[in-house]
Each structure stands twice: as structure tokens, then as C-alpha cells.
Amino acid sequence: MDAISGRPSETYSPLYFLTSLGSGGLVVTFFMWLMHWTRHPGRSVPVFEDIVAAFSAGGVASRTMIVLAVAGIAYYAFLNLKYLFWNLARFGLWKRTPAYAQLSSTNAETQMLAMPLALAMSVNVCFILGMVFVPGLWTVVEYLFPVAILAFLAIGVLAIRMFGRFLGRVLTSGGFSCASNNSFAQALPAFALAMIGVGLAAPAGLSSTPLVAGIGLVLSTFFLIASVLIAGIALVLGLRSLAENGANIETAPTLSVFIPLLTIIGILSLRQNHGLDEHFGLASGGAERLMMLSQYLSAQLLFALLTGLVLCRLGYVDRFINGRDASAGSYALVCPGVALAVMIHFWLNRGLVDAGLIDKFSVAYWTISALAVAIQFMTIWLVFNLNRKHFQSQRGKK
């Protein structure tokens, strides 16, 4: 970037929706602290009353953790909604420019699926805000679940229409370039549909009404299957082009997209299994959850190694994170950090602890928890660095 240029975000890209998505993901990482480190008897998630009770009964360490978690949730929820509304406004203006028509005729048209992806995350963020900050929410939560289902369905219709336009164009008129598909960018629609699916699975895992839980199970399964099918196709097409053409440095961060996708699918599966156990008598034990989460985590680590290898060979971090160049696609690197932190929390608490391999709050427990927190704070640093690079004026910088 030269000395007279302004903010990189002045040149708009739909990938800037990942700015909102990443901040929303950090809200979830802080909520993990409250979910796994405070007591919430009779509920699978903590609510305002549980948090207040834990703060009142806790020691200095417990109270400090709760204050940091609540502050982190509030701050990153603010950023999530701030950047969501900024993107929606800029997207509306951008659609009236030639850049929109140009992008809509290329492989990159699927970048627009970042919008429903971010919208679905923001609905989840609003639900977390309600649980953490609204007293008595759980007394009316059964009335909120149908509203949430309708909201996620509306976002799902938007996502399917966007992906349908792309798919209809390339399958009837052609024009899909396999040579320029040397990334996993085409997995973004799968990520968006999985995020919608995990939102629809929340009533399945949390509602006490069998009908609402059943609706959540069925609808979330549709989006789960759609996501898995699209992701599988994107993986095969992307690997073929990568092997033939090598990675494109600007789209190389998309190699990590399967890391957050697997976390979302893992949480979706946990919510479905909980709903099946509560309402339909199909129980899954700690050992089964341990195996499932271990398989997902193993796949994530393999994708992390692949991404790290390619990014190091390309010199991506020195150029786009620490260097002068800027790319909206850099925000794709926020998602794997969030996803790994969240997955480690679930693997530890719903896998290792529930299976009896590790005692809760033991030395081993806190060692693994510290790994999740370390990844979380590395991701916080990345978000801070990217936001400063993309949204603060660069005029006069050498």
C-alpha cells in the first residue's frame, strides 16, 4: 500500500462480512467460559440468573473470569453488529456498481454467501446477549424458539437463492473456471448453510416442547446435508485445481474454511443428539461424543497443518498480516482460530470429561483449557491487527 492510499475497506468486497462473522465468533469463545466454568443446574446453557449466582458465590478468580467473559461478550457483540450494519449498507451501494456485475459472472460470485453467513452468526450472537444480559429470559424462551426458527429459515432462503443463482448460471451457461478455483473458496456456501443449520438445531437441543424440537431437528438436518454435499464437492474441485495450478496467495486463507465448518457441524450434531435424547429416547454417551469430537478435531488439525504449510511457503503472513498489503480475504483466518478454541472446549468438556478420562477442574483440565484460551487470544490479536489495517486510515504510512 502506498503512502497516499486510504483505508483498504474503501474498496468494498462481500468478504468484509467476515469481519462481522469473526467478531461474532469471539462472542462465542467468551461464552464458552460461562458455559463450561460456571454451574447452571437444570439447563444446558447458563443464563443471567446462573451467572449472577456464580458471581455471588465465587472467589476472586471466578469473579474475574465472569467479568472478563461478560465484558468480552458485550464488546465483540458490539463489533459484530457494527460491522454487520456497515456491510449491509456498503453491500447495497456496491450492488449498483460495475464491480457487482463483474463479480457475478465469475467463480467469486459465491463470495456473496458471506452475507447470510454473517446474518446467521448475528442471530446467534443476539441469543447469547439475551441469555447473558436479560433477566428472566428462560421463562419466555419457548416463545422465542419459533421466532428464531423463522429468522433462520428466512436467512436460509436468502442463502439458497444466492447459491441457486450461481449454480444455475454455471450449470446452464458454463463459465466456471477450474484453473482459478485453486482454493477452497467454493466451500463458503457450505459454511453459510451449516451456520444456518446450527441455529435451527438450537431449539432441538434446548426446547422442552417435543414439536418445536422435532421441527428444529428436521430443518437443521436439511441444511446439514446440503452443507456436507457442497463441502465435499468444493473439496474435490479445489484440491484438483490446487494440485494443477498451485495456490493463489490472496485466496490461500480459504484453505482453512473446513476448520470452522467442522466445528459448526460438531455443535450441530451435539444439539441434535441432545434433542433426540431428551424427547425421543435416543441417548448418546460420553464415549460416543468423545469419538465424534475427536474425529472432527483430528480433521481440523490436518486442515490447519495444510493451511499453515501453504501460507508459510507463500509468505502470506509477512505480506498481508504484518506487511503493507491488505486483502479482505485475510479475515478468513479469524474463523479457524475461533473454531479451534470452541472445539477444544467441547472436546474437553463433552468428550474427555463426560467419558471419565479427565476430572473437571483438574490440572489436566486447566492445561487443555489454557490451550483453548491461548488460541482465543491469538485470534483476538489477529482481529485487532486486521481491523486496524483495513478500517483505520493508512494515509502517510511508509
Side-chain angles (χ1 to χ4, degrees), residues 133-210:
F133 293 105
V134 178
L137 180 74
W138 211 250
T139 61
V140 297
V141 72
E142 291 298 333
Y143 299 101
L144 299 178
F145 284 137
V147 177
I149 289 174
L150 291 175
F152 281 114
L153 276 180
I155 299 170
V157 170
L158 173 64
I160 291 172
R161 288 184 63 186
M162 284 182 165
F163 187 61
R165 281 199 299 270
F166 166 78
L167 206 59
R169 174 175 63 81
V170 300
L171 292 182
T172 57
S173 304
F176 183 82
S177 172
C178 291
S180 61
N181 187 43
N182 49 343
S183 69
F184 292 157
Q186 297 306 319
L188 183 61
F191 190 9
L193 295 176
M195 185 67 73
I196 296 164
V198 79
L200 288 167
L206 299 176
S207 177
S208 59
T209 306

Side-chain angles (χ1 to χ4, degrees), residues 265-266 333 354:
I265 291 175
L333 294 176
D354 284 1

Side-chain angles (χ1 to χ4, degrees), residues 63-85:
R63 290 185 175 188
T64 301
M65 178 275 293
I66 291 172
V67 169
L68 288 175
V70 170
I73 289 170
Y75 177 69
Y76 284 105
F78 167 74
L79 289 185
N80 167 263
L81 297 174
K82 170 188 172 182
Y83 287 121
L84 176 68
F85 292 132

Side-chain angles (χ1 to χ4, degrees), residues 83 105 147 172 176 193 199 216 220 222 262 280-281 297 315:
Y83 287 121
S105 63
V147 177
T172 57
F176 183 82
L193 295 176
S220 62
F222 171 82
L262 286 166
F280 306 103
L297 182 58

Side-chain angles (χ1 to χ4, degrees), residues 85-376:
F85 292 132
W86 178 86
N87 270 284
L88 290 173
R90 290 298 302 271
F91 185 84
L93 296 173
W94 175 76
K95 283 188 69 174
R96 296 194 285 270
T97 68
Y100 170 78
Q102 180 181 359
L103 183 137
S104 298
S105 63
T106 67
N107 294 11
E109 184 179 3
T110 54
Q111 289 182 7
M112 286 187 275
L113 271 292
M115 176 200 281
L117 173 60
L119 287 170
M121 172 59 84
S122 292
V123 175
N124 287 317
V125 166
C126 289
F127 200 74
I128 290 175
L129 287 174
M131 289 189 290
V132 174
F133 293 105
V134 178
L137 180 74
W138 211 250
T139 61
V140 297
V141 72
E142 291 298 333
Y143 299 101
L144 299 178
F145 284 137
V147 177
I149 289 174
L150 291 175
F152 281 114
L153 276 180
I155 299 170
V157 170
L158 173 64
I160 291 172
R161 288 184 63 186
M162 284 182 165
F163 187 61
R165 281 199 299 270
F166 166 78
L167 206 59
R169 174 175 63 81
V170 300
L171 292 182
T172 57
S173 304
F176 183 82
S177 172
C178 291
S180 61
N181 187 43
N182 49 343
S183 69
F184 292 157
Q186 297 306 319
L188 183 61
F191 190 9
L193 295 176
M195 185 67 73
I196 296 164
V198 79
L200 288 167
L206 299 176
S207 177
S208 59
T209 306
L211 177 60
V212 174
I215 292 172
L217 280 167
V218 172
L219 293 176
S220 62
T221 298
F222 171 82
F223 284 95
L224 170 64
I225 296 302
S227 173
V228 170
L229 288 174
I230 294 168
I233 294 169
L235 177 63
V236 173
L237 290 176
L239 281 174
R240 180 196 176 281
S241 184
L242 281 164
E244 182 177 352
N245 304 293
N248 180 310
I249 189 169
E250 287 212 45
T251 58
T254 64
L255 297 179
S256 66
V257 71
F258 285 92
I259 299 174
L261 178 60
L262 286 166
T263 291
I264 295 300
I265 291 175
I267 297 173
L268 193 160
S269 300
L270 288 173
R271 288 176 171 179
Q272 287 190 335
N273 290 340
H274 184 75
L276 288 169
D277 182 21
E278 288 291 317
H279 299 290
F280 306 103
L282 186 60
S284 61
E288 182 180 338
R289 289 194 296 273
L290 173 62
M291 287 304 301
M292 179 186 72
L293 293 173
S294 295
Q295 290 163 2
Y296 287 150
L297 182 58
S298 297
Q300 287 178 308
L301 294 177
L302 290 171
F303 278 110
L305 290 172
L306 171 65
T307 304
L309 171 66
V310 174
L311 292 184
C312 286
R313 294 289 292 270
L314 293 174
Y316 187 91
V317 173
D318 289 338
R319 180 175 169 184
F320 289 99
I321 306 299
N322 298 325
R324 298 171 61 191
D325 291 341
S327 169
S330 298
Y331 278 98
L333 294 176
V334 175
C335 301
V338 167
L340 281 174
V342 172
M343 178 58 85
I344 290 171
H345 279 296
F346 277 107
W347 177 67
L348 171 61
N349 290 275
R350 300 304 310 279
L352 294 173
V353 172
D354 284 1
L357 293 179
I358 287 181
D359 292 329
K360 189 146 189 171
F361 303 143
S362 63
V363 173
Y365 179 92
W366 287 120
T367 301
I368 297 174
S369 295
L371 175 60
V373 173
I375 295 172
Q376 175 184 352

